[in-house]
Amino acid sequence: MPPSLEGRIELIRDVEGLLRTVLDNITKSDSSSRRNDNPLEQTAQLDAALSGLGLTYGAMFAALRRERNVFSPVNRFPKEILGHIFSYNDLQSTIQASAVCSLWRTAAIGSPRLWTCVDMSSRVITNEMAQLILERSGDLPLDVRFRVVRPLAQYFNAAVPDRIADILARAKSVSNLVALSENLRDNHVYSAPIMTSLHTLLLGSTDLKKLLRKHQHIRHLSVFLAASNSASETRRLAQIDATHLGKRLRTLHLSNISLPPSAIQRFLVNFASLEELSFTGCSSREAEYQDAHYVASEVQTRLWLLSFKACTPEFVVWFLHPDGPTPISPTTNLLVDPTPEDDEVKPFFGRQEPATFLYIDFAQKSFTYAHENAMTRLIRAGEFDPPSLYFPSYIPLEAVRVLSWSQCVPLSAAQLESFGNLSELSFSYHPGYVGSSRNQLSSILNVDLVANCPNLTYLEVKFRRHLGRHESSSVQPPSYKDDSEVVVTMFLEAWNDVRGSKFGCVSLRDEVKPQRWSQYTPVLQALTNIFEVVSGMVVENEPIPFPELRQFHADSSLLHGRR
């Protein structure tokens, strides 16, 4: 029966004492007491003793460290939990984690999904590493990401390991593939029988049609067209063969296209099952929208997500023109980044279904509208400061019932008139420091809000601390210029006077001075049907997250011509 933990600790102390005794004897001995009749034999004996001691001591030390690590809080997690935590790492971090201790190594090696990403874009995958990935990933499909380099204006994949054929044979997702690179033979590229997702760079010599016909399981396709003339772009775009992909392709991302949108419209007609369509860095060779050349396509009426990023206004308007034959479907989520200014393109677009919710994100410079069955996100490129804020004219505001934003923005009486049906208002407020010119709470909670929003029943204000140098423990934070409790009270009194009834619900989330509301609570409860104050840190979350585009892990720097 093995000794208890206390017994093992006592035994370790005895061994430590014995080693100290041996050490003292060695250090006290002098050269005259050592025999010199056979120095080679004595040296060999000492070397053997040192080697044995090193092995025994090393094994004992490692065993003791393992036993000590058992008591570490993080090592009390089951191996399955540790494997899930490691899943947020990249491959290099997983390798480092597996070298921390035996438990972490067992958890990392025993989780095949941690070894399914072959990312050549961020590090060199050696032949030894490729073999390790193939072994530790088990039978799981792989996510392969090539590295793209562009010396002398020519794209190709660099640092490809010798085992690439074995890797691609198990690849379910492939990105940044320059088809066909000189260092990727045809039989390698065409040997991914289970591939369902592909991001590729099309060069002048690429036979994309052959590649797509070979892989009958592709559902998600992202194509970056290398800069060239319009004729070659049209020819390469036509290689995306609708005969083989039309009924199964769900996602299509097109980047760096400079073609007439009318030609793209004709190309899209045959993709009956398309659900997500994205354009990035695309421009139009047609100066303006022309209804006569617009090709009606039912694709836009079936899309779940339609995205335009870094595209010219002339390109975007061809797809979104309000007078076009294929208006945006009520179930299509739309993203435009950046949104053309009002004076760039008129008219730009219009959605037939009203927006019932509007969220303004000043950090992202975006307006997010929620319709009955879809969302619209418009991102501005220019100034987005509160004093210069204006609402885009593309979507009317009369039907908006919920309005939310991330800063204290003064709304003018004219702006408030557009929100006549507003029923819920939520915003963050950062009290200004003494001497600052920051907007005060009264710039929103005033008689204009009472007069122009008669249907308002819910008000939420999130009082936020300032982040920055004043949060440092060594710097005394300045005094706040804040009379919010008075402003809220005056607003609710004005509501009762003008509307002749109590306000519905007021929710205050205060991380600055939550205790200040104590003496006002009886008065505020008398002016409302529901009044609540929540203290503690305020977490800023987007009320309704916008759907995310499918990620192909493509190299976005290619759009800007960087090597």
Side-chain angles (χ1 to χ4, degrees):
M1 183 176 181
S4 63
L5 175 62
E6 292 76 9
R8 292 196 298 274
I9 293 176
E10 188 65 28
L11 180 61
I12 292 168
R13 289 172 178 168
D14 291 342
V15 172
E16 180 189 7
L18 179 60
L19 290 175
R20 287 184 178 276
T21 301
V22 174
L23 178 63
D24 290 340
N25 292 332
I26 293 175
T27 55
K28 290 177 181 178
S29 63
D30 53 27
S31 58
S32 62
S33 63
R34 300 180 186 130
R35 297 174 59 187
N36 297 315
D37 53 346
N38 194 348
L40 293 178
E41 181 180 353
Q42 292 179 2
T43 301
Q45 291 175 353
L46 285 173
D47 288 342
L50 288 172
S51 178
L53 180 63
L55 293 174
T56 304
Y57 179 78
M60 182 179 68
F61 187 79
L64 290 175
R65 289 298 297 261
R66 285 195 297 271
E67 184 156 6
R68 179 188 178 279
N69 289 339
V70 170
F71 298 98
S72 176
V74 70
N75 286 335
R76 296 178 186 177
F77 289 126
K79 296 175 183 177
E80 294 78 12
I81 300 298
L82 283 174
H84 178 73
I85 294 174
F86 295 158
S87 67
Y88 294 93
N89 293 339
D90 56 17
L91 181 61
Q92 181 62 30
S93 299
T94 299
I95 295 174
Q96 293 173 348
S98 67
V100 170
C101 63
S102 61
L103 180 62
W104 284 27
R105 180 175 178 81
T106 301
I109 295 178
S111 301
R113 69 181 183 278
L114 301 179
W115 306 90
T116 57
C117 180
V118 188
D119 191 355
M120 291 170 275
S121 64
S122 59
R123 59 163 295 158
V124 175
I125 302 295
T126 62
N127 293 326
E128 293 76 13
M129 181 60 63
Q131 178 64 31
L132 193 67
I133 291 172
L134 289 169
E135 292 175 355
R136 294 185 176 179
S137 59
D139 296 328
L140 295 180
L142 302 179
D143 173 17
V144 181
R145 309 172 193 176
F146 286 97
R147 180 187 177 191
V148 179
V149 296
R150 190 188 178 189
L152 303 177
Q154 179 64 45
Y155 297 101
F156 71 94
N157 293 129
V160 178
D162 295 339
R163 299 291 303 275
I164 189 62
D166 297 327
I167 291 173
L168 287 175
R170 290 174 47 193
K172 188 175 182 180
S173 171
V174 176
S175 60
N176 289 345
L177 173 65
V178 181
L180 300 170
S181 284
E182 294 180 0
N183 54 343
L184 284 175
R185 299 189 299 273
D186 287 9
N187 61 326
H188 288 175
V189 178
Y190 297 149
S191 61
I194 65 171
M195 180 172 62
T196 61
S197 176
L198 171 65
H199 166 74
T200 181
L201 284 74
L202 292 189
L203 307 180
S205 58
T206 301
D207 190 353
L208 182 62
K209 180 179 290 187
K210 178 181 178 182
L211 177 63
L212 297 178
R213 286 185 177 181
K214 184 76 174 182
H215 297 86
Q216 298 295 321
H217 300 288
I218 291 182
R219 298 292 183 271
H220 314 284
L221 178 63
S222 175
V223 177
F224 175 91
L225 296 183
S228 59
N229 56 62
S230 177
S232 63
E233 287 189 11
T234 304
R235 183 178 63 255
R236 281 179 288 157
L237 193 63
Q239 290 184 0
I240 305 177
D241 191 355
T243 304
H244 294 82
L245 291 179
K247 294 183 179 180
R248 66 175 185 267
L249 195 64
R250 299 291 184 268
T251 305
L252 179 60
H253 291 192
L254 299 175
S255 302
N256 203 38
I257 293 178
S258 181
L259 285 174
S262 55
I264 299 175
Q265 285 280 349
R266 288 190 292 270
F267 159 74
L268 292 173
V269 166
N270 298 315
F271 292 90
S273 300
L274 205 59
E275 298 173 354
E276 177 178 315
L277 178 60
S278 172
F279 298 97
T280 303
C282 299
S283 58
S284 173
R285 295 180 182 273
E286 295 165 315
E288 60 184 14
Y289 169 81
Q290 301 174 38
D291 184 61
H293 295 162
Y294 198 103
V295 179
S297 171
E298 294 184 1
V299 170
Q300 284 186 218
T301 65
R302 292 189 297 267
L303 288 175
W304 174 75
L305 181 56
L306 176 60
S307 171
F308 299 88
K309 290 188 175 182
C311 297
T312 62
E314 294 79 11
F315 183 91
V316 178
V317 75
W318 269 86
F319 294 87
L320 304 182
H321 198 284
D323 297 329
T326 53
I328 304 170
S329 169
T331 58
T332 299
N333 298 285
L334 174 65
L335 170 65
V336 184
D337 176 16
T339 306
E341 303 294 335
D342 279 346
D343 56 352
E344 285 187 295
V345 179
K346 291 186 178 181
F348 176 40
F349 80 93
R351 299 200 69 154
Q352 297 178 351
E353 66 280 10
T356 57
F357 173 91
L358 171 58
Y359 174 68
I360 308 171
D361 189 330
F362 286 87
Q364 301 295 327
K365 297 184 178 182
S366 67
F367 294 93
T368 301
Y369 302 84
H371 311 278
E372 183 176 356
N373 298 306
M375 302 179 70
T376 301
R377 171 164 290 178
L378 307 177
I379 300 179
R380 292 280 303 278
E383 293 294 328
F384 204 81
D385 296 325
S388 61
L389 178 67
Y390 73 92
F391 297 96
S393 60
Y394 316 127
I395 298 179
L397 304 176
E398 290 79 7
V400 172
R401 297 193 301 270
V402 181
L403 176 61
S404 177
W405 63 78
S406 57
Q407 287 188 21
C408 182
V409 184
L411 296 180
S412 65
Q415 289 174 318
L416 287 171
E417 289 178 357
S418 301
F419 295 95
N421 291 309
L422 192 66
S423 60
E424 298 182 22
L425 177 62
S426 173
F427 60 90
S428 294
Y429 171 53
H430 298 255
Y433 299 131
V434 171
S436 73
S437 58
R438 183 176 292 274
N439 296 317
Q440 295 302 296
L441 189 61
S442 57
S443 62
I444 299 176
L445 301 184
N446 52 41
V447 293
D448 289 334
L449 182 60
V450 174
N452 291 288
C453 300
N455 299 313
L456 192 63
T457 58
Y458 177 82
L459 173 65
E460 179 187 48
V461 184
K462 291 168 279 190
F463 296 86
R464 303 297 310 277
R465 288 193 184 97
H466 290 273
L467 299 177
R469 60 184 180 89
H470 298 300
E471 294 299 313
S472 172
S473 58
S474 62
V475 179
Q476 181 66 27
S479 300
Y480 285 110
K481 180 178 60 177
D482 187 11
D483 56 353
S484 299
E485 56 271 34
V486 177
V487 173
V488 172
T489 303
M490 293 178 62
F491 166 74
L492 293 175
E493 289 176 343
W495 184 275
N496 279 252
D497 293 341
V498 175
R499 299 298 170 194
S501 62
K502 293 182 179 181
F503 191 85
C505 176
V506 174
S507 177
L508 306 178
R509 303 182 180 274
D510 196 338
E511 67 178 19
V512 181
K513 293 188 300 182
Q515 69 279 3
R516 60 178 160 183
W517 301 98
S518 300
Q519 63 180 13
Y520 287 86
T521 297
V523 176
L524 296 173
Q525 288 178 337
L527 295 172
T528 60
N529 293 322
I530 300 175
F531 176 80
E532 64 175 3
V533 178
V534 180
S535 60
M537 181 177 293
V538 177
V539 179
E540 285 286 0
N541 291 321
E542 187 175 1
I544 304 180
F546 190 84
E548 293 186 1
L549 286 168
R550 180 178 181 84
Q551 297 300 307
F552 287 91
H553 305 286
D555 187 355
S556 60
S557 66
L558 297 175
L559 294 177
H560 307 288
R562 295 196 294 268
R563 298 182 181 181

